[in-house]
Amino acid sequence: MAKDIGVKKYKGESDEGFSRRTAYTASRYWTSAFCMDDGSGGDSGLSRQALNRKLRSWIGRLDNAQPGISEWFEVDQGNVSCIYNRLIDVGELKEDGFSNRFRAQPPTLAVVGMGQALIVGMFDPTNTSEAVLGYHRPDIVATGLASIVASDLEAPAQNPRWWETEWELLAWARASDFGSVEYANPATRAWGLRNGEVWSPDFRPTKGIALARTTSNDRGGTTYYAARPVGGKPFLCSVEQTKALELYYHIKEIAGNPVVARLRRIDDQHVELAMPLGLIPGEYDRVLEVASWPVRNVSDRFDRLMRAECVPMARDLLSKCGVVLKEA
């Protein structure tokens, strides 16, 4: 299986780890293949329930050959869904909103920049006689749930960050109207919004921008706010948590204290990537996830294995959301 899809064992990798990584990569092909095998040439697709059932059955057969694979895929917890959810994120599977069924998509190029592109979509990795989108099999590197190739196509322009387009359109109100307010301190080493070290009662905007929160003891909830000074006083506007995280990373970046992801080279073909948080803000997290292998289990979003060819892409994508990639 590993030979068919191009997965190579790295230096010091255990047989168990190699088997799991191979199965994870192969799950991309089989997920699409299951959706094609719907009795109508792929036109109908599969329901979520049917796809879960087929994936669990396939993983169970692999577990008979290599015990521990089912546990790594967290079959009992139902986390096989993260496989097809990641394929949906990048367009390899398309969900019909009316029938709630998944259909496999033909292969296309998703240009990510730095001279690289992902091949997204259904193709047979065992067929070495046919090119895929003009690329021959030796030119295709299997990584995670996607394949990467060299590309001289220009990457699409980066979308503006939300505060660049929405800031002046937000409905601002005095901070004094919100009760007890805390403000994120960009100088701290902490990265997560739930870490108490991040928050302070002092309003110290960075270049006219800040992040704030209020907490409710009654409901146990937290509300996040974009903050800015008006006449020397803080004004707030509520924002959703994903926007708050993205704004905090940006504030740390412009304050000269950026969030850091760590890179360790395992051999000349593989690297280990330690992410600061389970979810990187912005639209780039989905690309990193399909281009790498989770380590601890199928839903691990912190520690990733990646082909060395992907490092320039990873560094570029992380920098676009305010994260610096440093080698250990």
Side-chain angles (χ1 to χ4, degrees):
M1 188 186 297
K3 183 179 179 181
D4 285 342
I5 58 181
V7 178
K8 297 182 180 180
K9 197 172 185 178
Y10 64 76
K11 183 179 180 180
E13 185 174 23
S14 66
D15 291 341
E16 293 82 2
F18 181 57
S19 297
R20 294 166 184 169
R21 197 159 55 90
T22 301
Y24 182 74
T25 307
S27 67
R28 171 250 192 180
Y29 166 73
W30 283 108
T31 299
S32 294
F34 291 147
C35 292
M36 289 291 294
D37 188 22
D38 59 357
S40 58
D43 290 337
S44 297
L46 290 183
S47 67
R48 185 179 295 270
Q49 293 80 4
L51 190 52
N52 274 323
R53 185 170 60 252
K54 285 180 175 289
L55 271 174
R56 288 172 180 163
S57 175
W58 176 72
I59 292 169
R61 292 197 298 272
L62 294 181
D63 192 75
N64 291 332
Q66 177 62 66
I69 285 184
S70 287
E71 182 180 0
W72 187 87
F73 272 90
E74 299 180 322
V75 169
D76 291 340
Q77 290 82 11
N79 285 345
V80 294
S81 62
C82 72
I83 296 172
Y84 55 77
N85 285 337
R86 288 167 185 167
L87 294 178
I88 292 170
D89 284 342
V90 295
E92 179 140 337
L93 295 182
K94 185 176 181 180
E95 185 175 13
D96 188 310
F98 295 99
S99 64
N100 292 320
R101 298 173 73 86
F102 300 108
R103 293 198 297 268
Q105 300 300 297
T108 59
L109 274 185
V111 181
V112 293
M114 305 303 293
Q116 295 176 326
L118 298 178
I119 295 181
V120 176
M122 173 67 177
F123 68 91
D124 184 355
T126 66
N127 190 344
T128 59
S129 62
E130 292 187 8
V132 181
L133 299 175
Y135 293 93
H136 297 287
R137 273 296 310 279
D139 300 324
I140 299 175
V141 178
T143 110
L145 292 175
S147 300
I148 192 168
V149 293
S151 172
D152 56 2
L153 299 175
E154 186 175 349
Q158 180 181 355
N159 291 330
R161 297 181 177 182
W162 67 265
W163 56 85
E164 296 174 346
T165 57
E166 301 178 25
W167 196 256
E168 296 302 326
L169 303 177
L170 299 177
W172 299 93
R174 293 181 179 86
S176 57
D177 297 339
F178 294 87
S180 180
V181 180
E182 295 178 300
Y183 300 92
N185 177 12
T188 180
R189 295 182 57 136
W191 297 330
L193 295 183
R194 296 181 180 178
N195 192 322
E197 297 179 13
V198 168
W199 302 98
S200 165
D202 300 325
F203 176 58
R204 297 176 181 175
T206 305
K207 296 186 178 180
I209 301 176
L211 177 68
R213 76 170 183 178
T214 59
T215 56
S216 171
N217 293 329
D218 295 334
R219 293 172 297 175
T222 300
T223 304
Y224 297 101
Y225 306 88
R228 72 173 185 177
V230 178
K233 301 292 184 179
F235 275 62
L236 310 181
C237 179
S238 63
V239 295
E240 59 192 52
Q241 184 173 346
T242 54
K243 287 187 174 181
L245 183 62
E246 191 175 2
L247 180 60
Y248 181 53
Y249 276 37
H250 172 64
I251 293 171
K252 288 180 71 68
E253 180 184 22
I254 61 179
N257 183 32
V259 176
V260 175
R262 300 290 178 181
L263 177 73
R264 182 176 70 88
R265 295 191 180 272
I266 300 174
D267 58 23
D268 60 345
Q269 292 185 321
H270 301 86
V271 301
E272 188 175 56
L273 190 63
M275 305 297 284
L277 288 174
L279 180 64
I280 297 300
E283 61 196 81
Y284 310 107
D285 187 64
R286 66 186 66 179
V287 177
L288 292 175
E289 286 209 336
V290 298
S292 59
W293 296 274
V295 175
R296 289 187 293 268
N297 50 52
V298 73
S299 58
D300 187 0
R301 305 180 78 154
F302 290 89
D303 296 321
R304 315 287 299 182
L305 285 168
M306 183 175 286
R307 280 289 295 248
E309 294 91 337
C310 296
V311 172
M313 175 193 70
R315 181 175 283 109
D316 179 58
L317 294 178
L318 288 171
S319 69
K320 289 177 179 177
C321 53
V323 179
V324 175
L325 182 59
K326 291 186 177 181
E327 292 201 29

